[in-house]
């Protein structure tokens, strides 16, 4: 929502400076997004007079001017404008000035061999309009030497305020002025609603869709003369980025921004019969003012005559029925459209407009008559014509709400003790009507007892967001200032504080800290993907009907796309070693799944004199990260089985899954599939993994005390075994088989060597395993060691292995 400071002061009588106004806006919940003063970029452009104008000796279309810019030393300027002539008073840019339209810095230069100092400017060059046919011509009374922006009244800051969806009343300058007045920055000027003496009956309008358009008010004005809007109106609209079109159109835009009341003007010559607000019909189309054709349906409200649809109700008018330069008779529409219907229609048509932004928040339903009168008065005063009586079809939902309230509720809810009379002043300044009853002192058993007053508050019709007494407290507190809310600690419960984190939160906390400790940087990505990205990882189950962007449409079924996009951004910024992780949710029809994902790309180790060439990440690095994060999450890492069936996102043969049994998949990892890496613009080897936290079995409850740690009395014994096994046998399967050969004595087994070459038959490989044996109360005897060794060999033989000779 943009407005100028001078525009604000037409509604707010205040002496406050700009800085105070901006600070107050932020304090009362109207966040200032930016402030721009057009005069600041025009400070080096002065009013100047052309003293002489001679033809350029080397160019027929150029002139050499002598320009007086107020310092008594005329400058020579080469100019190609056709209207440049002696005696003209225009706008001159001195040396060093920056031309707003293109950022060019003016300096002394030679044009066709003739020295030129500065530049005489056009409206377009100063971004004050589209006129570029010649240089600016000012009145003879313009003071030579004065800064043009100050003389032209351009020193008027433009304030840009972010309006939250619940503050429909601040979608007009008057609503913002009302809030500032309530905050003590002046007084709100009275709004003058003219009385329109209509001649003749009002137009033929009605509403057949009371759910979508409960009220449709209108009036005609005949004999108007449309043209350029007055300078004061055009200047305000241009200052906030609105392009002036014509007086009739500009009036509707001005009232919409000034009072938050959208209207529409129809050229009566384009209408066939009366106008009706009705539901659209399947297949009906309307060519809107933005030049696009839209197809409506029965869920949408349209404005139509006997032959065609002219307006998408409350969102955008039709191109052929709007006011034109030759329009002489107009119909002014001031209607109320149901916010919910406007929102659904806008979403279906993917059509946004200033009118939609106001109607779907909810405009004041009690302002139809006044809005129509104000618009009619402006049309008659600026365009002439004779107005008719008003036609009022339907009834706007303007029944005010009442809220029961007690002043002490402000202290109990917000912790701010605001005197009752100050609360009443604030509420009445905001347009609430306060009726006070009761209160005082009563005597009970001969003792005086204070009885609080009871308030009945009538909510103004422009505040549909206020429903109950907590909303009233919010209004009081935001005007008083959130900075005055005291920081009061909650009472502490005696004894040792109980933990507040859930077991799931504790797991996520351990995993996050472990990943960071291992050198991974945390990324936080959107929970939404584009359809293309989701399809690359198998497709998503949930697609948003109204996404904020087409690139954020599908709820993610995997964390990999977001991490790969982040990896690409780091690669584009010359990062050589990328280690990212994210802890978030994946979304499926069955619900949300807590997941940890990571991506490793680029160099694992940089080149060096000791290590030689740089080394890239591989699938074993991904597996190491997966096992470490699973251990941090409390998974039984020692019991995990390695399978090779990772998802299609990974490279076959260079990826795998870790499971508890064949069906319970805890993680997948490996080298990314080359086609997926290419889709995200990544080259080289990229490894990744995902740990499915929701699949990790929870710990069994075994009381609050752990068993005391009792180190074994005797030293462990280690034995090495080398087995010749078929190449198809996985080392993991052999290690697990060996560990199960004697569960009482064997406490660990690990692979420490893989050999293929001489002395090993083709189709076979040698796997060397270190087995750790832990004696109990006494050391192993030779017979016991031989029995354990025999059991280990027998376990390997079940997988087709034999002890290497």
């Amino acid at each position: 929502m943009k407005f100028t400071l001078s525009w604000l002061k037409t509604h707010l009588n205040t002496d406050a400076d700009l800085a105070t106004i901006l600070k107050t806006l932020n304090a009362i919940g109207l966040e200032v997004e930016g402030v721009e003063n057009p005069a600041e970029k025009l400070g080096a452009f002065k009013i100047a007079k052309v003293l002489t104008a001679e033809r350029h000796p080397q160019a027929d279309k150029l002139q050499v001017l002598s320009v007086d810019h107020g310092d008594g030393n005329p400058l020579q300027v080469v100019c190609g404008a056709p209207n440049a002539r002696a005696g003209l008073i225009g706008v001159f840019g001195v040396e060093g000035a920056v031309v707003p339209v293109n950022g060019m810095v003016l300096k002394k230069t030679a044009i066709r061999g003739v020295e030129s100092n500065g530049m005489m400017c056009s409206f377009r060059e100063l971004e004050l309009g589209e006129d570029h046919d010649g240089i600016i011509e000012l009145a003879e009374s313009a003071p030579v030497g004065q800064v043009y922006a100050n003389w032209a009244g351009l020193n008027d800051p433009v304030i840009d305020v972010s309006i939250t969806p619940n503050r429909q009343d601040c979608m007009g300058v008057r609503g913002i002025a009302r809030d500032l007045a309530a905050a003590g920055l002046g007084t709100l000027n009275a709004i003058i609603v003219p009385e329109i003496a209509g001649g003749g009956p009002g137009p033929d309008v009605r509403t057949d869709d009371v759910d979508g358009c409960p009220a449709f008010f209108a009036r005609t004005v005949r004999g108007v003369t449309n043209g350029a809007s007055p300078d004061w109106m055009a200047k305000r609209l241009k200052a906030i980025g609105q392009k002036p079109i014509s007086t009739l159109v500009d009036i509707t835009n001005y009232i919409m921004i000034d009072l938050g009341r959208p209207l529409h003007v129809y050229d009566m010559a384009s209408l066939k019969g009366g106008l009706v607000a009705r539901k659209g019909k399947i297949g009906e189309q309307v060519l809107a003012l933005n030049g696009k054709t839209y197809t409506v349906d029965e869920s949408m409200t349209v404005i139509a005559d006997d032959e065609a649809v002219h307006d998408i109700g409350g969102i955008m008018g039709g191109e052929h029925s709007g006011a034109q330069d030759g329009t002489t008779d107009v119909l002014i529409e001031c209607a109320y459209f149901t916010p919910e219907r406007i929102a659904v229609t806008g979403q279906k048509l993917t059509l946004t407009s200033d009118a939609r932004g106001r109607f779907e928040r909810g405009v004041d339903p009690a302002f139809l008559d006044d809005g129509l009168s104000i618009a009619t008065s402006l049309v008659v005063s600026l365009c002439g014509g004779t107005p008719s009586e008003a036609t009022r079809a339907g009834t706007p939902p303007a029944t005010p709400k009442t809220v029961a309230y007690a002043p002490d509720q402000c202290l109990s809810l917000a912790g701010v003790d605001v005197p009752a009379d100050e609360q009443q002043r604030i509420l009445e300044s905001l347009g609430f009507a306060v009726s006070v009853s009761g209160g005082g002192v009563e005597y009970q058993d001969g003792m005086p007892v204070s009885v609080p007053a009871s308030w009945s508050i009538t909510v103004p019709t422009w505040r549909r967001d206020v429903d109950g007494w907590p909303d009233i407290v919010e209004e009081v507190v935001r005007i008083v200032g959130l900075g005055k809310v005291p920081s009061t600690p909650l009472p502490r419960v005696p004894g040792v504080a109980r933990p507040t984190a859930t077991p799931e939160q504790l797991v996520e906390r351990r995993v996050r800290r472990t990943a960071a400790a291992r050198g991974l940087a945390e990324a936080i990505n959107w929970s939404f993907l584009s359809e293309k990205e989701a399809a690359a990882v198998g497709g998503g189950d949930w697609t948003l009907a109204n996404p904020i962007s087409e690139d954020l449409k599908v709820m993610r079924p995997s964390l990999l796309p977001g991490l790969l996009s982040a990896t690409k951004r780091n690669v584009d910024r010359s990062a050589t070693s990328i280690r990212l992780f994210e802890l978030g949710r994946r979304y499926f029809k069955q619900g949300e799944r807590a997941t940890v994902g990571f991506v490793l790309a680029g160099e694992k180790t940089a080149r060096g004199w000791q290590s030689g060439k740089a080394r890239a990440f591989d699938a074993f690095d991904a597996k190491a990260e997966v096992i470490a994060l699973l251990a941090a999450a409390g998974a039984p890492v020692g019991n995990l089985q390695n399978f090779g069936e990772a998802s299609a996102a990974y490279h076959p043969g260079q990826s795998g899954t870790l499971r508890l049994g064949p069906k319970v998949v805890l993680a997948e990892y490996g080298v990314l599939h080359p086609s997926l890496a290419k889709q995200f613009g990544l080259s080289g080897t990229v490894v990744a993994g995902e740990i499915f936290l929701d699949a990790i079995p929870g710990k069994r409850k075994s009381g609050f005390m752990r068993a005391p740690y009792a180190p074994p009395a005797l030293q462990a014994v280690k034995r090495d075994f080398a087995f010749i096994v078929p190449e198809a046998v996985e080392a993991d399967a052999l290690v697990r088989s060996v560990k199960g050969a004697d569960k009482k004595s064997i406490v660990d087994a690990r692979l420490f060597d893989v050999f293929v070459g001489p002395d090993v038959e083709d189709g076979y490989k040698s796997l060397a395993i270190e087995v750790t044996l832990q004696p109990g109360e006494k050391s192993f005897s030779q017979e016991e060691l031989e029995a354990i060794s025999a059991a280990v060999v027998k376990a390997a033989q079940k997988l087709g292995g034999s002890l290497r000779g």
Side-chain angles (χ1 to χ4, degrees):
M1 174 67 190
K2 290 185 177 181
F3 54 92
T4 64
L5 181 61
S6 64
W7 196 341
L8 175 69
K9 290 186 176 181
T10 63
H11 292 281
L12 182 68
N13 185 9
T14 180
D15 295 327
D17 58 14
L18 178 63
T20 302
I21 290 174
L22 298 179
K23 181 179 179 181
T24 306
L25 285 170
N26 283 318
I28 61 179
L30 302 176
E31 182 181 356
V32 178
E33 292 194 328
V35 180
E36 180 181 349
N37 191 345
E40 292 178 355
K41 59 185 178 182
L42 299 178
F45 294 86
K46 298 182 178 181
I47 299 173
K49 183 175 183 178
V50 179
L51 301 178
T52 62
E54 303 292 340
R55 195 172 72 109
H56 193 291
Q58 304 296 330
D60 293 338
K61 294 185 178 181
L62 298 179
Q63 296 187 76
V64 181
L65 311 180
S66 175
V67 176
D68 175 16
H69 63 289
D71 67 350
N73 296 310
L75 295 175
Q76 181 174 283
V77 178
V78 176
C79 180
N83 63 331
R85 64 188 184 276
L88 180 145
I89 296 180
V91 180
F92 175 68
V94 299
E95 184 178 352
V98 179
V99 181
V101 72
N102 55 20
M104 179 178 68
V105 180
L106 299 179
K107 58 184 179 180
K108 184 185 296 185
T109 186
I111 301 177
R112 294 286 186 94
V114 176
E115 181 181 282
S116 180
N117 302 271
M119 182 176 73
M120 296 295 292
C121 304
S122 69
F123 281 107
R124 185 192 295 178
E125 287 162 341
L126 300 185
E127 293 186 334
L128 299 176
E130 297 300 318
D131 187 2
H132 193 57
D133 295 333
I135 57 178
I136 298 172
E137 295 191 40
L138 302 178
E140 293 183 2
S141 59
V144 174
Q146 187 170 330
V147 174
Y148 171 69
N150 295 337
W151 176 80
L154 298 177
N155 191 11
D156 193 7
V158 178
I159 305 169
D160 187 3
V161 176
S162 176
I163 308 298
T164 54
N166 65 314
R167 292 305 309 278
Q168 67 280 348
D169 59 308
C170 287
M171 291 300 288
V173 179
R174 183 167 184 80
I176 295 172
R178 182 188 296 111
D179 268 23
L180 290 172
L185 249 62
T187 57
L188 186 67
N189 295 329
I191 185 170
I192 300 174
V193 179
E195 293 186 6
I196 305 298
D204 178 13
V205 299
R206 70 180 193 277
T207 176
D208 292 347
D209 181 14
V210 293
D211 292 331
C213 179
F216 186 176
F217 290 11
R219 176 183 275 118
T220 62
V221 182
R222 298 182 182 274
V224 301
T225 301
N226 197 13
S229 54
D231 184 62
W232 64 268
M233 182 181 289
K235 186 180 294 185
R236 286 181 184 173
L237 293 175
K238 283 192 291 187
I240 64 171
Q242 292 274 351
K243 181 181 178 181
I245 299 172
S246 68
T247 305
L248 291 171
V249 175
D250 294 348
I251 286 171
T252 62
N253 288 333
Y254 181 81
I255 294 175
M256 176 177 64
I257 296 164
D258 187 54
L259 302 174
R261 171 72 257 189
L263 305 108
H264 190 61
V265 173
Y266 295 90
D267 186 344
M268 293 185 65
S270 66
L271 303 179
K272 303 295 187 292
L275 284 181
V276 57
R278 60 169 173 81
K279 291 183 179 179
K281 299 175 183 177
I282 295 177
E284 281 188 320
Q285 293 186 328
V286 55
L287 176 62
L289 286 170
N290 62 2
K292 297 181 180 181
T293 299
Y294 296 91
T295 301
V296 301
D297 60 32
E298 294 176 331
S299 68
M300 304 175 187
T301 302
V302 300
I303 307 296
D305 61 11
D306 295 344
E307 293 186 0
V309 174
H310 292 286
D311 193 347
I312 303 170
I315 299 181
M316 189 170 289
E319 189 173 87
H320 65 281
S321 61
Q324 309 295 327
D325 289 342
T327 297
T328 57
D329 300 330
V330 296
L331 182 149
I332 306 172
E333 166 223 306
C334 186
Y336 179 85
F337 297 94
T338 306
E340 294 77 11
R341 179 74 65 83
I342 293 293
V344 171
T345 300
Q347 291 167 8
K348 281 188 176 182
L349 298 178
T350 62
L351 176 60
T352 59
S353 68
D354 290 332
R356 175 192 167 184
R358 287 162 174 80
F359 275 122
E360 72 179 350
R361 281 175 165 88
V363 301
D364 183 2
F367 197 70
L368 272 70
D369 258 325
D370 291 349
L372 184 59
S373 295
I374 292 170
T376 304
S377 175
L378 281 173
V379 169
V380 172
S381 63
L382 299 179
C383 301
T386 303
S388 71
E389 295 287 347
T391 300
R392 300 172 180 84
T395 304
T399 303
K401 293 180 289 186
T402 57
V403 176
Y405 180 70
D408 58 357
Q409 288 175 318
C410 182
L411 177 62
S412 64
L413 180 63
V416 184
D417 190 6
V418 182
D421 57 347
E422 175 63 8
Q423 292 191 48
Q424 184 172 353
R425 184 202 67 79
I426 291 172
L427 293 171
E428 289 177 344
S429 297
L430 292 172
F432 294 83
V434 180
S435 175
V436 182
S437 61
V441 177
E442 292 184 357
Y443 288 86
Q444 297 179 5
D445 299 329
M447 297 295 293
V449 177
S450 177
V451 178
S454 175
W455 289 12
S456 177
I457 298 178
T458 303
V459 181
T461 52
W462 58 80
R463 293 300 303 271
R464 68 188 294 264
D465 59 304
V466 176
D467 287 321
W469 68 265
D471 297 321
I472 301 295
V473 172
E474 180 184 358
E475 291 302 298
V476 172
V477 172
R478 73 178 181 87
I479 297 299
V480 168
L482 293 175
K484 296 185 179 179
V485 178
S487 298
T488 305
L490 295 173
R492 185 184 180 98
V493 178
V496 179
R498 295 182 179 181
T500 57
T502 65
E504 292 79 9
Q505 290 172 327
L506 292 174
V507 168
E508 292 182 4
R509 184 182 300 170
R510 289 196 300 270
V511 169
R512 180 177 281 112
R513 290 177 175 175
T514 300
R518 292 180 63 82
L520 276 69
E522 185 172 10
I524 301 176
N525 295 304
W526 289 99
S527 296
F528 311 103
L529 308 171
S530 67
E531 291 181 318
K532 183 179 180 181
E533 290 173 332
V537 289
D541 291 343
W542 298 100
T543 301
L544 302 184
N546 184 34
I548 60 175
S549 167
E550 284 298 311
D551 291 334
L552 300 171
K553 191 172 185 179
V554 182
M555 299 191 75
R556 63 184 179 190
S558 169
L559 271 59
L560 291 183
L563 287 167
L564 293 175
S565 296
T567 300
K568 179 62 167 62
R569 289 193 292 272
N570 281 272
V571 169
D572 291 343
R573 287 156 179 79
S574 302
T576 56
S577 182
I578 301 163
R579 306 163 187 247
L580 298 176
F581 83 95
E582 181 176 10
L583 199 157
R585 301 291 186 270
R586 299 176 300 138
Y587 301 91
F588 302 96
K589 289 183 179 179
Q590 298 81 7
E592 302 179 10
R593 302 290 175 85
T595 307
V596 181
F598 65 87
V599 170
L600 308 175
E603 301 174 351
K604 178 182 178 181
T605 56
R607 64 180 181 174
W609 65 272
Q610 288 179 306
S611 57
K613 293 183 179 180
R615 180 179 165 230
F617 294 99
D618 57 27
F620 295 105
D621 296 315
K623 184 178 181 180
E625 298 297 336
V626 165
I627 291 175
L629 296 179
L630 283 171
V637 174
N639 298 331
L640 296 180
Q641 301 178 34
N642 191 73
F643 286 75
E645 298 87 359
S647 68
Y650 296 92
H651 196 305
Q654 299 184 42
S655 58
T657 58
L658 292 175
R659 310 188 184 196
L660 281 174
K663 295 184 179 180
V664 183
V665 180
L666 299 191
E668 61 180 13
Y669 65 90
V671 176
L672 203 67
H673 197 286
S675 63
L676 183 59
K678 183 178 180 181
Q679 181 173 331
F680 285 88
L682 299 173
S683 58
T685 302
V686 180
V687 304
E690 285 188 294
I691 297 97
F692 312 126
L693 298 179
D694 61 298
I696 299 174
K699 290 185 177 180
R700 296 179 180 177
K701 294 183 179 180
S702 56
F704 294 100
M705 297 295 292
R706 293 181 179 180
Y709 174 66
L714 301 175
Q715 186 174 348
V717 178
K718 294 185 178 181
R719 290 288 186 270
D720 294 344
F721 297 85
F723 296 104
I724 302 294
V725 297
E727 282 188 347
V729 174
E730 294 183 355
D732 180 69
L734 180 62
V735 171
R736 283 189 285 106
S737 181
V738 167
K739 285 183 68 174
D742 188 334
K743 294 183 179 179
K744 180 179 179 181
S745 301
I746 299 175
V747 294
D748 192 22
R750 69 180 186 89
L751 179 74
F752 70 88
D753 185 55
V754 179
F755 177 75
V756 176
D759 301 330
V760 177
E761 186 180 347
D762 289 344
Y764 288 84
K765 59 186 176 183
S766 172
L767 301 179
I769 297 176
E770 179 187 83
V771 179
T772 302
L773 309 175
Q774 179 60 57
E777 297 178 355
K778 63 177 183 176
S779 300
F780 291 118
S781 65
Q782 185 63 31
E783 291 78 10
E784 289 173 330
L785 290 174
E786 290 177 353
I788 294 172
S789 297
V792 169
V793 173
K794 186 176 180 181
Q797 289 173 344
K798 291 180 180 179
L799 298 177
S802 60
L803 195 65
R804 187 175 176 184

